[in-house]
Amino acid sequence: MIWISAAKSGRSSEITTARHNKITSHLREAGLGALADLGFVGPDDDPDDSVVITGRKATRNHRLTDAEKEANRLLNRERAAVEHGFAN
């Protein structure tokens, strides 16, 4: 474990708490990265040295390509294995 935050109320969103606690800086300092769901798109403060890997979001103007969909599936498969480990 490299860092742990103070307890937050249940109404605090994960992305807001991650930004407030500067989680990307802690990951970068430790030389680590994180896999995250689409709720964490955009928290990284240095796009040239990204430490949070998220999938691609579709929008009204941008449909996902087959390659982007496959990349999302692969990322979700890896995230699911880790999250199931925490749940058990």
Side-chain angles (χ1 to χ4, degrees):
M1 183 176 300
I2 60 165
W3 170 81
I4 190 165
S5 72
K8 298 284 185 185
S9 67
R11 67 177 183 258
S12 296
S13 73
E14 293 171 338
I15 188 72
T16 300
T17 301
R19 283 187 178 124
H20 179 266
N21 290 305
K22 298 177 176 56
I23 190 69
T24 56
S25 297
H26 291 290
L27 288 168
R28 197 170 285 111
E29 288 169 12
L32 298 172
L35 299 177
D37 62 25
L38 292 177
F40 278 85
V41 171
D44 219 335
D45 52 0
D46 186 357
D48 294 329
D49 185 23
S50 185
V51 294
V52 178
I53 299 170
T54 59
R56 296 291 304 252
K57 278 188 177 182
T59 66
R60 230 181 299 168
N61 298 326
H62 172 72
R63 301 276 183 216
L64 295 180
T65 66
D66 288 340
E68 289 170 328
K69 289 177 186 177
E70 181 62 19
N72 281 355
R73 276 191 287 274
L74 293 171
L75 177 65
N76 290 336
R77 185 179 67 196
E78 296 304 317
R79 279 188 35 251
V82 172
E83 289 178 11
H84 289 171
F86 286 128
N88 295 323

